[in-house]
Amino acid sequence: MFDIKWIRANTEAFDAALSRRKGIVTRSADLLAIDDRRRDIIVRLNEAQEKRNALSKQIGQAKAQKDEAKAGELMAEVARLKDTIPAGEAEERAVELELRNALSVLPNIAFDDVPDGTDEAGNVEYFGRNGSPETAAKLRAPRPSFAFAPKEHYEVGVAANGNMDFEIAAKLSGSRFVVLKGQVARLERALGQFMLDLHTNEHGYLEVQPPLLVKDDALFGTNQLPKFEDDLFFAPHGDGRLALIPTAEVPLTNMVRESILSEEELPLRLTALTPCFRSEAGSAGRDTRGMLRQHQFNKVEMVSITTPETSVDEHERMLTCAETVLQKLGLHYRVMNLCTGDLGFGAKKTYDLEVWLPGQDTYREISSVSVCGDFQARRMDARYRPTGEKVSPRFVHTLNGSGTAVGRCLIAVLENYQQEDGSVLVPEVLRPYMGGLTSIGGR
RNA sequence: GGAGAGGUGGCAGAGUGGUCGAAUGCACCGCACUCGAAAUGCGGCGUGGGGGUGACUCCACCGUGAGUUCGAAUCUCACCCUCUCCGCCA
């Protein structure tokens, strides 16, 4: 969410930046018109309140001196304000809500180095700071070659033989659910444990087990509300509701909401392995086969809370943390710098990691790493107190990234490590989590 | 779920109708002392929003929301949360 004062001081920059965003017609003039009205109301209200306070103080003094006549006189005078103050307060509340509503549906401004574009075709491959295709290739596994036609994940023997069961899941829960069994279930678990251990042991993240059900306020903080309500599942609760988290970004980021951290606590790096729940309301008919797009999936999420000065560096660092997962698993992938048309609502810049799926013969998103600036911090009221002379609190910056989507990573392992006989080799880093197994689904 | 206690500034903790945005302590910042540090002394130090070129000034905020009152941190009601005890329970 934007600061109206900043908009007022930077109308041209604001309008130019917003015009890069798809489908946004709001301009600074629309917002400043509301703000002008707001300020008028505040000025009038403050004048009335000031008068009331002054008279009330005089009444107190008059009463203290037992001057009842004067007190009565003053009370009559203040009585005339009785209606204007509550009315003014109501007006102020209304116009402030109007401004908040107008601001809360506006997406964040993209950094200058985000490419322009209308959809994913405008995304630009990224090889890291000072990187090149050559330096990237040294770190990443090459695309695997097969002596046979590689299958899609749900066709690979070990999955197709009943360990990835969509029929039973449909009986239990309908479409877009899956039941994993046996060694495929174990492989899924191994992947999650591996990622979590990597981020906690080697990347300095604090492991968190957050609630999976959250309040509307938390969803507002991380931009799911008010615009993306349709993507969520809700559970009735008391007179209200709780939402099933669509990503652990919601509880992890909101852990700092409505608080003032000290600078020494930053950067705060949090990670969690949680199920995620998405209604996929807008994706009817897309990716209906297999477990690529599910209502429920596991994901390891990373969240960083930083100072404004360090958030851009932290973004690169977080990207590296996510890449390390795929590098250690020996999975081929590429990194895309998302263009303005593909950029998420709250992001100033996003890198997508796309893993190679030989069965599909294409790259698919497996991680998304975003820097949000103070956009979410404003919505959450999350600040920190800088060390040193400046004591006035500032908004923190927030970042989030998947590290990575476990369900999709399972797909990637099944497709990339599949053997002609339908078995699947276990990547070396996962073997400790698989009781030493080097392969699953063999005879 | 039942009974009781309580929610006040970064933290702890006073404050039961007016001069309280709020004592005090800790933390923090500046200065002094010191070779330096500690200790000590002095001073400063909440958040948000208006107005003013500025010095400055006004308004709101004591869990949240209503209410009583000329005036509410303080009184009333509802709700939320925390703690203690009991019950139930993975």
Side-chain angles (χ1 to χ4, degrees), chain A residues 5 38-39 42-43 46 49-50 52-53 56 59-60 63 75 78 82 93 260 383 385 388 392-393:
Chain A
K5 285 193 286 194
R38 175 180 146 267
R39 297 215 247 181
I42 286 173
V43 168
N46 282 4
Q49 287 169 323
E50 184 180 354
R52 179 202 58 192
N53 291 347
S56 290
I59 291 168
K63 290 211 167 195
M75 282 162 77
V78 83
K82 273 226 102 179
R93 268 198 302 275
I260 301 177
R383 292 171 293 171
R385 197 180 297 282
S392 162

Coordinates of all heavy atoms in Angstrom, one line a residue, chain A residues 5 38-39 42-43 46 49-50 52-53 56 59-60 63 75 78 82 93 260 383 385 388 392-393, chain B residues 9-10 18-19 28-30 45-51 57-60 66 69-72 80:
Chain A
K5 N 1.2 10.7 1.2 CA 2.0 11.8 1.2 C 3.1 11.7 0.2 O 3.5 12.7 -0.5 CB 2.7 12.0 2.6 CG 1.7 12.5 3.6 CD 2.4 13.0 4.9 CE 2.8 11.8 5.7 NZ 3.2 12.2 7.1
R38 N -10.4 14.7 2.6 CA -10.0 14.2 3.9 C -9.4 15.4 4.7 O -9.8 15.6 5.9 CB -9.0 13.1 3.7 CG -8.5 12.5 5.0 CD -7.5 11.4 4.8 NE -6.5 11.4 5.7 CZ -5.3 12.0 5.6 NH1 -5.0 12.6 4.5 NH2 -4.4 11.9 6.6
R39 N -8.5 16.1 4.1 CA -7.8 17.1 4.9 C -8.8 18.3 5.3 O -8.7 18.8 6.4 CB -6.7 17.7 4.1 CG -5.6 16.6 3.9 CD -4.3 17.2 3.9 NE -3.6 17.1 2.6 CZ -2.4 17.6 2.4 NH1 -1.7 18.1 3.3 NH2 -1.9 17.5 1.2
I42 N -10.7 17.1 8.3 CA -9.8 17.1 9.5 C -9.6 18.5 10.0 O -9.7 18.7 11.2 CB -8.4 16.4 9.1 CG1 -8.6 14.9 9.0 CG2 -7.4 16.8 10.2 CD1 -7.4 14.2 8.5
V43 N -9.4 19.5 9.1 CA -9.2 20.8 9.6 C -10.5 21.3 10.4 O -10.4 21.8 11.5 CB -8.9 21.8 8.4 CG1 -9.0 23.2 8.9 CG2 -7.5 21.5 7.9
N46 N -10.9 19.3 13.7 CA -9.9 19.7 14.7 C -10.2 21.1 15.3 O -10.0 21.3 16.5 CB -8.5 19.8 14.1 CG -7.9 18.4 13.9 OD1 -8.5 17.4 14.2 ND2 -6.6 18.4 13.5
Q49 N -12.9 20.4 17.8 CA -12.4 19.7 19.0 C -11.6 20.6 19.9 O -11.7 20.6 21.1 CB -11.6 18.5 18.6 CG -12.4 17.4 18.0 CD -11.6 16.3 17.3 OE1 -10.6 16.7 16.6 NE2 -11.9 15.1 17.4
E50 N -10.8 21.5 19.2 CA -10.0 22.4 20.0 C -10.8 23.3 20.9 O -10.6 23.6 22.0 CB -9.1 23.2 19.0 CG -8.2 24.2 19.7 CD -7.3 25.0 18.7 OE1 -7.4 24.7 17.5 OE2 -6.6 25.8 19.1
R52 N -13.9 22.7 21.9 CA -14.6 22.0 22.9 C -13.6 21.7 24.1 O -14.0 21.9 25.3 CB -15.1 20.6 22.4 CG -15.7 19.8 23.5 CD -15.7 18.3 23.1 NE -14.4 17.8 22.9 CZ -14.1 16.6 22.3 NH1 -15.1 15.9 21.9 NH2 -12.8 16.3 22.2
N53 N -12.4 21.4 23.8 CA -11.4 21.1 24.8 C -11.1 22.3 25.7 O -11.0 22.2 26.9 CB -10.1 20.6 24.2 CG -10.3 19.2 23.6 OD1 -11.3 18.5 23.9 ND2 -9.3 18.7 22.8
S56 N -14.1 23.0 27.9 CA -14.3 22.0 28.9 C -13.3 22.3 30.0 O -13.6 22.1 31.2 CB -14.0 20.6 28.4 OG -15.1 20.2 27.5
I59 N -14.7 25.0 32.1 CA -15.8 24.6 32.9 C -15.2 23.9 34.2 O -15.7 24.2 35.3 CB -16.6 23.5 32.2 CG1 -17.4 24.2 31.1 CG2 -17.6 22.8 33.1 CD1 -18.1 23.2 30.1
G60 N -14.1 23.1 34.0 CA -13.5 22.5 35.2 C -13.0 23.6 36.1 O -13.2 23.5 37.3
K63 N -15.9 25.3 37.9 CA -16.5 24.5 38.9 C -15.6 24.4 40.1 O -16.1 24.4 41.3 CB -16.8 23.1 38.4 CG -17.9 23.0 37.4 CD -18.6 21.7 37.4 CE -19.9 21.8 36.6 NZ -20.8 20.7 36.8
M75 N -21.2 25.6 29.5 CA -21.8 24.3 29.1 C -22.8 24.5 28.0 O -22.9 23.7 27.1 CB -22.4 23.6 30.3 CG -21.4 22.9 31.2 SD -21.9 22.5 32.9 CE -22.9 21.1 32.6
V78 N -20.8 25.0 24.8 CA -20.2 23.8 24.3 C -21.2 22.9 23.7 O -21.0 22.0 22.9 CB -19.3 23.1 25.3 CG1 -20.1 22.3 26.3 CG2 -18.2 22.3 24.7
K82 N -22.0 19.9 20.1 CA -22.3 18.5 20.4 C -22.6 17.7 19.1 O -22.2 16.6 19.0 CB -23.5 18.4 21.3 CG -23.1 18.5 22.8 CD -23.8 17.4 23.6 CE -22.9 16.2 23.9 NZ -23.4 15.2 24.7
R93 N -13.9 9.3 9.4 CA -13.8 7.8 9.3 C -14.1 7.4 7.9 O -13.4 6.6 7.3 CB -14.7 7.1 10.3 CG -14.0 6.8 11.7 CD -14.8 5.8 12.4 NE -16.1 6.2 12.7 CZ -16.5 6.9 13.8 NH1 -15.6 7.4 14.6 NH2 -17.8 7.2 14.0
I260 N 7.2 -3.0 16.5 CA 8.4 -2.2 16.2 C 9.6 -3.0 16.6 O 9.8 -3.3 17.8 CB 8.4 -0.8 17.0 CG1 7.2 0.0 16.6 CG2 9.7 -0.1 16.7 CD1 7.1 1.3 17.4
R383 N 7.3 -2.1 11.7 CA 8.4 -1.1 11.6 C 9.6 -1.6 12.4 O 9.5 -2.6 13.1 CB 7.9 0.2 12.2 CG 6.8 0.9 11.3 CD 6.2 2.0 11.9 NE 5.4 1.6 13.1 CZ 4.8 2.5 14.0 NH1 5.0 3.8 13.8 NH2 4.1 2.0 15.0
R385 N 13.1 0.2 14.7 CA 13.8 1.4 15.2 C 15.2 1.4 14.8 O 16.0 0.5 15.2 CB 13.6 1.5 16.7 CG 13.8 2.8 17.3 CD 13.7 2.8 18.8 NE 12.3 2.5 19.2 CZ 11.3 3.4 19.2 NH1 11.5 4.6 18.7 NH2 10.1 3.0 19.6
G388 N 21.1 4.2 16.5 CA 21.8 5.5 16.4 C 20.9 6.7 16.7 O 20.0 6.6 17.4
S392 N 13.2 7.7 15.2 CA 11.8 7.6 14.6 C 11.7 6.3 13.8 O 12.5 6.0 13.0 CB 11.5 8.8 13.7 OG 10.4 8.5 12.9
P393 N 10.7 5.4 14.1 CA 10.6 4.1 13.5 C 10.4 4.2 12.0 O 9.7 5.2 11.5 CB 9.4 3.5 14.2 CG 9.2 4.2 15.4 CD 9.7 5.6 15.1
Chain B
rG9 P 1.8 0.1 26.4 OP1 1.3 -0.6 25.2 OP2 2.3 -0.7 27.5 O5' 2.9 1.2 25.9 C5' 3.2 1.4 24.5 C4' 4.0 2.6 24.4 O4' 3.7 3.4 25.6 C3' 5.5 2.4 24.5 O3' 6.1 2.8 23.3 C2' 6.1 3.3 25.6 O2' 7.0 4.3 25.1 C1' 4.8 4.1 26.0 N9 4.7 4.3 27.4 C8 4.7 3.3 28.4 N7 4.6 3.8 29.6 C5 4.6 5.2 29.4 C6 4.6 6.3 30.3 O6 4.5 6.2 31.5 N1 4.7 7.5 29.7 C2 4.8 7.7 28.3 N2 4.8 8.9 27.9 N3 4.8 6.7 27.5 C4 4.7 5.5 28.1
rG10 P 6.0 1.8 22.1 OP1 5.9 2.6 20.8 OP2 5.0 0.8 22.3 O5' 7.4 1.1 22.1 C5' 7.7 0.0 21.2 C4' 8.8 -0.8 21.8 O4' 10.0 0.0 22.0 C3' 8.5 -1.4 23.2 O3' 7.8 -2.6 23.1 C2' 9.9 -1.6 23.8 O2' 10.5 -2.8 23.3 C1' 10.6 -0.4 23.2 N9 10.6 0.8 24.1 C8 10.1 2.0 23.9 N7 10.3 2.8 24.9 C5 11.0 2.1 25.8 C6 11.6 2.5 27.1 O6 11.5 3.5 27.7 N1 12.3 1.4 27.7 C2 12.4 0.2 27.1 N2 13.1 -0.7 27.8 N3 11.9 -0.2 25.9 C4 11.3 0.8 25.3
rG18 P -10.2 13.8 37.8 OP1 -9.0 12.9 37.8 OP2 -10.7 14.4 39.1 O5' -10.0 15.0 36.7 C5' -9.6 14.6 35.4 C4' -9.5 15.9 34.6 O4' -10.8 16.5 34.4 C3' -8.5 16.9 35.1 O3' -7.9 17.5 34.0 C2' -9.4 17.9 35.8 O2' -8.9 19.3 35.6 C1' -10.7 17.8 34.9 N9 -12.0 18.1 35.6 C8 -12.4 17.8 36.9 N7 -13.6 18.0 37.1 C5 -14.1 18.5 35.9 C6 -15.4 18.9 35.5 O6 -16.4 18.9 36.2 N1 -15.5 19.3 34.2 C2 -14.4 19.3 33.3 N2 -14.6 19.7 32.1 N3 -13.2 18.9 33.6 C4 -13.1 18.5 34.9
rU19 P -7.0 17.1 33.0 OP1 -7.5 17.6 31.8 OP2 -6.5 15.7 33.2 O5' -5.8 18.0 33.5 C5' -4.6 18.1 32.9 C4' -3.7 19.0 33.8 O4' -4.4 20.3 33.9 C3' -3.7 18.5 35.2 O3' -2.8 17.4 35.5 C2' -3.3 19.8 36.0 O2' -1.9 20.1 35.9 C1' -4.0 20.8 35.2 N1 -5.3 21.2 35.9 C2 -5.2 22.5 36.5 O2 -4.2 23.2 36.4 N3 -6.3 22.8 37.2 C4 -7.5 22.1 37.4 O4 -8.4 22.5 38.1 C5 -7.4 20.8 36.8 C6 -6.3 20.4 36.1
rC28 P 21.3 0.6 26.6 OP1 22.3 -0.2 25.8 OP2 21.7 1.3 27.8 O5' 20.6 1.7 25.5 C5' 20.2 1.2 24.3 C4' 19.5 2.4 23.6 O4' 18.3 2.8 24.4 C3' 20.3 3.6 23.5 O3' 21.2 3.6 22.4 C2' 19.2 4.7 23.3 O2' 18.7 4.7 22.0 C1' 18.1 4.2 24.2 N1 18.2 4.8 25.6 C2 17.6 6.1 25.7 O2 17.1 6.7 24.7 N3 17.7 6.7 26.9 C4 18.2 6.1 28.0 N4 18.3 6.7 29.1 C5 18.8 4.7 27.8 C6 18.7 4.2 26.6
rC29 P 22.6 4.3 22.6 OP1 23.5 3.8 21.5 OP2 23.1 4.1 24.0 O5' 22.3 5.8 22.3 C5' 21.8 6.2 21.0 C4' 21.4 7.7 21.1 O4' 20.3 7.9 22.0 C3' 22.5 8.6 21.6 O3' 23.5 8.9 20.7 C2' 21.7 9.8 22.1 O2' 21.3 10.6 20.9 C1' 20.4 9.2 22.6 N1 20.5 8.9 24.1 C2 20.3 10.0 24.9 O2 20.0 11.1 24.4 N3 20.3 9.9 26.3 C4 20.6 8.7 26.8 N4 20.7 8.5 28.1 C5 20.9 7.5 25.9 C6 20.8 7.7 24.6
rG30 P 25.0 9.3 21.2 OP1 25.9 9.3 20.1 OP2 25.3 8.4 22.4 O5' 24.8 10.7 21.8 C5' 24.5 11.8 21.0 C4' 24.3 13.1 21.8 O4' 23.2 12.9 22.7 C3' 25.5 13.4 22.7 O3' 26.6 14.1 22.0 C2' 24.8 14.4 23.7 O2' 24.6 15.7 23.1 C1' 23.4 13.7 23.8 N9 23.4 12.8 25.0 C8 23.5 11.4 25.0 N7 23.5 10.9 26.2 C5 23.4 11.9 27.0 C6 23.2 12.0 28.4 O6 23.3 11.1 29.2 N1 23.1 13.3 28.9 C2 23.1 14.4 28.1 N2 23.0 15.6 28.7 N3 23.2 14.4 26.8 C4 23.3 13.1 26.3
rC45 P 12.0 15.5 25.4 OP1 11.1 16.3 24.6 OP2 11.7 15.4 26.9 O5' 12.0 14.0 24.9 C5' 12.4 13.7 23.5 C4' 12.6 12.2 23.3 O4' 13.7 11.8 24.2 C3' 11.4 11.4 23.8 O3' 10.5 11.3 22.8 C2' 12.1 10.0 24.0 O2' 12.4 9.4 22.8 C1' 13.5 10.4 24.6 N1 13.5 10.4 26.1 C2 13.7 9.2 26.7 O2 13.9 8.2 26.0 N3 13.7 9.1 28.0 C4 13.5 10.2 28.8 N4 13.6 10.1 30.1 C5 13.3 11.4 28.2 C6 13.3 11.5 26.8
rG46 P 8.9 11.5 23.2 OP1 8.4 12.7 22.5 OP2 8.8 11.3 24.7 O5' 8.3 10.2 22.5 C5' 9.1 9.0 22.4 C4' 8.1 7.9 22.1 O4' 7.1 7.8 23.1 C3' 7.4 8.0 20.8 O3' 8.1 7.5 19.7 C2' 6.1 7.2 21.0 O2' 6.4 5.8 20.9 C1' 5.8 7.5 22.5 N9 4.9 8.6 22.7 C8 5.2 9.9 23.2 N7 4.1 10.7 23.2 C5 3.1 9.9 22.6 C6 1.7 10.2 22.4 O6 1.1 11.2 22.6 N1 1.1 9.1 21.8 C2 1.7 7.9 21.5 N2 0.9 7.0 20.9 N3 2.9 7.6 21.7 C4 3.6 8.6 22.3
rU47 P 8.0 8.2 18.3 OP1 9.1 7.6 17.5 OP2 7.9 9.7 18.5 O5' 6.6 7.7 17.8 C5' 6.4 6.3 17.6 C4' 5.0 6.0 17.2 O4' 4.1 6.4 18.3 C3' 4.4 6.9 16.1 O3' 4.8 6.4 14.8 C2' 2.9 6.8 16.3 O2' 2.4 5.5 15.9 C1' 2.8 6.9 17.8 N1 2.6 8.2 18.3 C2 1.4 8.8 18.2 O2 0.4 8.1 17.8 N3 1.2 10.0 18.7 C4 2.2 10.9 19.2 O4 2.0 12.0 19.5 C5 3.5 10.3 19.2 C6 3.7 9.0 18.7
rG48 P 5.0 7.5 13.6 OP1 5.6 6.8 12.5 OP2 5.6 8.7 14.2 O5' 3.5 7.9 13.3 C5' 2.6 6.9 12.7 C4' 1.2 7.4 12.7 O4' 0.8 7.7 14.0 C3' 1.0 8.7 12.0 O3' 1.0 8.6 10.6 C2' -0.4 9.1 12.5 O2' -1.4 8.3 12.0 C1' -0.2 8.7 14.0 N9 0.3 9.9 14.8 C8 1.6 10.1 15.2 N7 1.7 11.3 15.8 C5 0.4 11.8 15.8 C6 -0.1 13.0 16.4 O6 0.5 13.9 17.0 N1 -1.4 13.1 16.1 C2 -2.2 12.2 15.4 N2 -3.5 12.6 15.3 N3 -1.7 11.1 14.9 C4 -0.4 10.9 15.2
rG49 P 1.3 9.8 9.6 OP1 1.3 9.3 8.3 OP2 2.5 10.5 10.2 O5' 0.0 10.7 9.8 C5' -1.3 10.3 9.5 C4' -2.3 11.3 9.9 O4' -2.3 11.5 11.3 C3' -2.1 12.7 9.3 O3' -2.5 12.8 8.0 C2' -2.9 13.6 10.3 O2' -4.3 13.4 9.9 C1' -2.7 12.8 11.6 N9 -1.6 13.5 12.3 C8 -0.3 13.1 12.5 N7 0.4 13.9 13.2 C5 -0.5 14.9 13.6 C6 -0.3 16.1 14.4 O6 0.7 16.5 15.0 N1 -1.5 16.8 14.5 C2 -2.7 16.5 13.9 N2 -3.7 17.3 14.2 N3 -2.9 15.4 13.2 C4 -1.7 14.7 13.1
rG50 P -2.0 14.0 7.1 OP1 -2.4 13.8 5.7 OP2 -0.6 14.4 7.4 O5' -2.9 15.2 7.7 C5' -2.5 16.5 7.6 C4' -3.5 17.3 8.3 O4' -3.6 17.1 9.7 C3' -3.2 18.8 8.2 O3' -3.7 19.4 7.0 C2' -3.8 19.4 9.5 O2' -5.2 19.6 9.3 C1' -3.6 18.3 10.5 N9 -2.3 18.4 11.1 C8 -1.2 17.5 11.1 N7 -0.2 17.9 11.8 C5 -0.6 19.1 12.4 C6 0.1 20.0 13.3 O6 1.2 19.8 13.7 N1 -0.7 21.1 13.6 C2 -2.0 21.3 13.1 N2 -2.6 22.4 13.6 N3 -2.6 20.5 12.3 C4 -1.9 19.4 12.0
rG51 P -2.7 20.1 6.0 OP1 -3.5 20.3 4.8 OP2 -1.4 19.4 6.0 O5' -2.5 21.5 6.8 C5' -3.7 22.2 7.2 C4' -3.3 23.4 8.1 O4' -3.0 22.8 9.4 C3' -2.1 24.1 7.7 O3' -2.3 25.1 6.7 C2' -1.7 24.8 9.0 O2' -2.6 25.9 9.3 C1' -2.0 23.7 10.0 N9 -0.8 22.9 10.3 C8 -0.5 21.7 9.8 N7 0.7 21.3 10.3 C5 1.1 22.2 11.1 C6 2.2 22.3 12.0 O6 3.2 21.5 12.1 N1 2.3 23.5 12.7 C2 1.3 24.5 12.7 N2 1.5 25.5 13.5 N3 0.2 24.4 11.9 C4 0.2 23.3 11.2
rU57 P 4.4 25.5 21.0 OP1 4.1 26.1 22.3 OP2 5.1 24.2 20.9 O5' 3.1 25.4 20.1 C5' 2.2 26.5 20.0 C4' 1.1 26.2 19.0 O4' 1.7 25.9 17.7 C3' 0.3 25.0 19.4 O3' -0.7 25.3 20.3 C2' -0.3 24.6 18.0 O2' -1.4 25.5 17.7 C1' 0.9 24.9 17.1 N1 1.7 23.7 16.8 C2 1.2 22.8 15.9 O2 0.2 23.0 15.2 N3 2.0 21.7 15.7 C4 3.2 21.4 16.3 O4 3.8 20.4 16.0 C5 3.6 22.3 17.3 C6 2.8 23.4 17.5
rC58 P -1.3 24.1 21.3 OP1 -2.0 24.8 22.4 OP2 -0.2 23.1 21.6 O5' -2.3 23.4 20.4 C5' -3.5 24.1 19.9 C4' -4.2 23.3 18.9 O4' -3.3 23.1 17.7 C3' -4.6 21.9 19.2 O3' -5.8 21.9 20.0 C2' -4.8 21.3 17.8 O2' -6.0 21.7 17.2 C1' -3.6 21.9 17.1 N1 -2.4 21.0 17.1 C2 -2.4 19.9 16.2 O2 -3.4 19.8 15.4 N3 -1.3 19.1 16.1 C4 -0.3 19.3 17.0 N4 0.8 18.5 16.9 C5 -0.3 20.4 17.9 C6 -1.4 21.2 17.9
rC59 P -6.0 20.6 21.0 OP1 -7.3 20.9 21.7 OP2 -4.8 20.3 21.7 O5' -6.4 19.5 19.9 C5' -7.5 19.5 19.1 C4' -7.6 18.3 18.2 O4' -6.5 18.3 17.3 C3' -7.5 17.0 18.9 O3' -8.7 16.6 19.5 C2' -7.1 16.1 17.8 O2' -8.2 15.8 16.9 C1' -6.1 17.0 17.0 N1 -4.7 16.8 17.4 C2 -4.0 15.7 16.9 O2 -4.6 14.9 16.1 N3 -2.7 15.4 17.2 C4 -2.1 16.3 18.0 N4 -0.8 16.0 18.3 C5 -2.8 17.4 18.6 C6 -4.1 17.6 18.3
rA60 P -8.7 15.7 20.8 OP1 -10.0 15.6 21.4 OP2 -7.6 16.1 21.7 O5' -8.3 14.3 20.2 C5' -9.2 13.6 19.3 C4' -8.5 12.4 18.7 O4' -7.3 12.8 18.0 C3' -8.0 11.4 19.7 O3' -9.0 10.6 20.2 C2' -7.0 10.7 18.9 O2' -7.6 9.8 18.0 C1' -6.4 11.8 18.0 N9 -5.2 12.3 18.7 C8 -5.0 13.5 19.4 N7 -3.7 13.7 19.8 C5 -3.1 12.6 19.3 C6 -1.7 12.2 19.4 N6 -0.8 12.9 20.0 N1 -1.3 11.1 18.7 C2 -2.3 10.4 18.1 N3 -3.6 10.6 17.9 C4 -3.9 11.8 18.6
rA66 P -16.9 2.9 17.5 OP1 -17.1 3.6 16.2 OP2 -16.2 3.5 18.6 O5' -18.2 2.3 18.0 C5' -19.2 3.2 18.5 C4' -20.2 2.5 19.3 O4' -19.6 1.4 20.0 C3' -20.9 3.3 20.3 O3' -21.9 4.1 19.8 C2' -21.4 2.3 21.3 O2' -22.5 1.6 20.9 C1' -20.2 1.3 21.3 N9 -19.1 1.7 22.3 C8 -17.9 2.2 22.0 N7 -17.2 2.5 23.0 C5 -18.0 2.2 24.1 C6 -17.9 2.3 25.5 N6 -16.7 2.7 26.1 N1 -18.9 2.0 26.3 C2 -20.0 1.5 25.7 N3 -20.3 1.4 24.4 C4 -19.2 1.7 23.6
rU69 P -25.4 11.9 28.7 OP1 -26.6 12.6 29.3 OP2 -25.2 11.8 27.3 O5' -24.1 12.6 29.4 C5' -24.1 12.9 30.8 C4' -22.7 13.5 31.1 O4' -21.7 12.5 30.9 C3' -22.3 14.7 30.3 O3' -22.9 15.9 30.8 C2' -20.8 14.7 30.5 O2' -20.5 15.2 31.8 C1' -20.5 13.2 30.5 N1 -20.0 12.7 29.2 C2 -18.6 12.8 29.0 O2 -17.8 13.1 29.8 N3 -18.3 12.4 27.7 C4 -19.1 11.9 26.7 O4 -18.6 11.6 25.6 C5 -20.5 12.0 27.0 C6 -20.9 12.3 28.2
rC70 P -23.5 16.9 29.7 OP1 -24.1 18.0 30.4 OP2 -24.1 16.2 28.6 O5' -22.1 17.5 29.1 C5' -22.1 18.4 28.0 C4' -20.8 19.1 27.8 O4' -20.6 20.0 28.9 C3' -19.6 18.1 27.9 O3' -19.3 17.5 26.7 C2' -18.5 19.1 28.4 O2' -18.0 19.9 27.3 C1' -19.3 20.0 29.3 N1 -19.2 19.5 30.7 C2 -18.0 19.7 31.4 O2 -17.0 20.3 30.8 N3 -17.9 19.3 32.7 C4 -18.9 18.7 33.3 N4 -18.7 18.3 34.6 C5 -20.1 18.5 32.6 C6 -20.2 18.9 31.4
rG71 P -19.0 16.0 26.7 OP1 -18.7 15.6 25.3 OP2 -20.0 15.2 27.5 O5' -17.6 16.0 27.4 C5' -16.4 16.5 26.8 C4' -15.3 16.5 27.8 O4' -15.6 17.3 29.0 C3' -14.9 15.1 28.3 O3' -14.1 14.4 27.4 C2' -14.1 15.5 29.6 O2' -12.8 16.0 29.2 C1' -14.9 16.7 30.1 N9 -15.9 16.3 31.1 C8 -17.3 16.2 30.9 N7 -17.9 15.8 32.0 C5 -16.9 15.6 32.9 C6 -16.9 15.2 34.3 O6 -17.9 14.9 34.9 N1 -15.7 15.2 34.9 C2 -14.5 15.5 34.2 N2 -13.4 15.4 34.9 N3 -14.4 15.9 33.0 C4 -15.6 15.9 32.4
rA72 P -14.2 12.8 27.3 OP1 -13.3 12.4 26.2 OP2 -15.6 12.5 27.3 O5' -13.6 12.3 28.7 C5' -12.3 12.6 29.1 C4' -11.7 11.3 29.6 O4' -12.6 10.7 30.6 C3' -11.5 10.2 28.5 O3' -10.4 9.3 28.9 C2' -12.8 9.4 28.7 O2' -12.7 8.1 28.3 C1' -13.0 9.4 30.2 N9 -14.4 9.3 30.6 C8 -15.5 9.3 29.9 N7 -16.6 9.1 30.6 C5 -16.2 8.9 31.9 C6 -16.8 8.6 33.1 N6 -18.1 8.5 33.2 N1 -16.1 8.4 34.2 C2 -14.7 8.5 34.1 N3 -14.0 8.8 33.0 C4 -14.8 9.0 31.9
rC80 P -15.5 -13.0 22.0 OP1 -15.7 -14.2 21.2 OP2 -15.6 -13.0 23.5 O5' -14.0 -12.4 21.7 C5' -13.6 -12.2 20.4 C4' -12.2 -11.5 20.4 O4' -12.3 -10.2 21.0 C3' -11.2 -12.2 21.2 O3' -10.6 -13.3 20.5 C2' -10.2 -11.1 21.5 O2' -9.4 -10.9 20.3 C1' -11.1 -9.9 21.7 N1 -11.4 -9.7 23.1 C2 -10.5 -9.1 23.9 O2 -9.4 -8.7 23.4 N3 -10.8 -8.9 25.2 C4 -11.9 -9.3 25.7 N4 -12.2 -9.0 27.0 C5 -12.9 -9.9 24.9 C6 -12.6 -10.1 23.6

